[in-house]
């Protein structure tokens, strides 16, 4: 009892219960199939031999791809100038994490969704000290300017503005950005030393 048996002709895995063999998995029916595994692959899978092994490898790769949880965090390591009464989109210059190629240095202001799902977005910007005006920062979707989250801070000392947005379902090719606005009466800079401007996206569910 307890022995396992894989039937190459049917693609099923069975366990010996001491009296009979119970089927516990069927490869085609049980494994998630990514778009890279098409009907021809499944037809080859049913034929056995070397073509079966090749298709099993593809199916395993599909399972592994489905286990990845998309996450990206990008940051700006240099101070940026923000003119008075002017909206500025933060430009990022590096990614500390990005397992789904959401950031591209050629489009440095955005993270682009590559896997549809429910995402949690977080932005952070710190302004240099000023005793005048207000500071604003918001995270939004580029296509329709949908605000995912916003935060404002009064003047006085260095203004650190974190935003954690409500979860939202995002589609492939949706683009997310961070924008800032300030009303101090003169230009201000973002802080880059120790408290860099950041944008991060974490997929909660697909």
């Amino acid at each position: 009892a307890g022995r396992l048996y894989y039937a190459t002709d049917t693609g099923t895995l069975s366990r010996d219960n001491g009296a009979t063999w119970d089927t516990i998995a069927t490869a085609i029916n049980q494994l998630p199939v990514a778009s890279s595994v098409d009907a021809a692959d499944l037809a080859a899978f049913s034929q056995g031999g070397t073509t079966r092994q090749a298709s099993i490898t593809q199916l395993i790769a599909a399972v592994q791809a489905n286990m990845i949880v998309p996450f990206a965090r990008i940051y700006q390591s240099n101070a940026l100038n923000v003119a008075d009464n002017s909206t500025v989109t933060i430009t990022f210059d590096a990614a500390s994490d990005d397992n789904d190629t959401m950031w591209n240095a050629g489009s440095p202001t955005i993270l682009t969704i590559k896997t549809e799902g429910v995402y949690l977005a977080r932005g952070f910007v710190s302004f240099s000290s000023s005793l005048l005006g207000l500071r604003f920062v918001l995270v939004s979707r580029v296509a329709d300017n949908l605000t995912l989250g916003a935060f404002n801070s009064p003047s006085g000392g260095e203004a650190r503005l974190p935003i954690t947005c409500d979860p939202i379902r995002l589609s492939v090719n949706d683009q997310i950005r961070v924008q800032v606005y300030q009303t101090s009466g003169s230009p201000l800079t973002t802080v880059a030393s120790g408290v860099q401007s950041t944008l991060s996206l974490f997929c909660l569910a697909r």
Side-chain angles (χ1 to χ4, degrees):
R3 296 176 298 166
L4 297 177
Y5 172 74
Y6 177 70
T8 58
D9 56 337
T10 61
T12 58
L13 181 67
S14 302
R15 180 187 291 115
D16 180 9
N17 67 14
T20 60
W21 289 89
D22 298 326
T23 298
I24 59 176
T26 301
I28 293 179
N29 293 336
Q30 298 298 324
L31 289 177
V33 179
S35 58
S36 60
V37 183
D38 57 20
D41 293 319
L42 295 178
F45 184 83
S46 66
Q47 300 303 313
T50 56
T51 54
R52 173 186 293 278
Q53 181 59 49
S55 294
I56 288 175
T57 300
Q58 286 181 297
L59 290 170
I60 291 174
V63 173
Q64 293 174 334
N66 287 334
M67 293 173 63
I68 295 174
V69 177
F71 171 67
R73 179 184 179 277
I74 53 180
Y75 63 91
Q76 173 54 257
S77 57
N78 298 298
L80 300 177
N81 291 318
V82 181
D84 180 50
N85 285 316
S86 178
T87 299
V88 173
T89 300
I90 297 295
T91 298
F92 300 96
D93 61 7
S96 57
D97 294 278
D98 186 9
N99 65 3
D100 205 21
T101 62
M102 287 189 272
W103 188 67
N104 182 340
S107 302
T109 62
I110 57 174
L111 285 176
T112 301
I113 299 300
K114 299 299 180 67
T115 302
E116 181 177 350
V118 177
Y119 283 81
L120 185 69
R122 187 178 190 277
F124 183 87
V125 178
S126 182
F127 281 93
S128 56
S129 298
S130 173
L131 298 178
L132 302 174
L134 298 172
R135 320 287 176 263
F136 302 87
V137 60
L138 64 88
V139 176
S140 64
R141 184 167 58 192
V142 174
D144 55 4
N145 286 318
L146 176 67
T147 298
L148 279 61
F151 185 81
N152 68 81
S153 173
S155 59
E158 184 178 302
R160 300 184 178 187
L161 286 71
I163 307 173
T164 298
C165 308
D166 290 335
I168 183 173
R169 177 164 290 279
L170 298 173
S171 301
V172 173
N173 293 325
D174 276 349
Q175 298 175 332
I176 308 302
R177 66 188 172 193
V178 175
Q179 295 179 300
V180 293
Y181 182 86
Q182 61 92 9
T183 62
S184 69
S186 60
L188 291 177
T189 60
T190 61
V191 177
S193 176
V195 284
Q196 299 161 331
S197 298
T198 62
L199 171 63
S200 59
L201 284 173
F202 180 76
C203 184
L204 301 174
R206 296 190 185 183

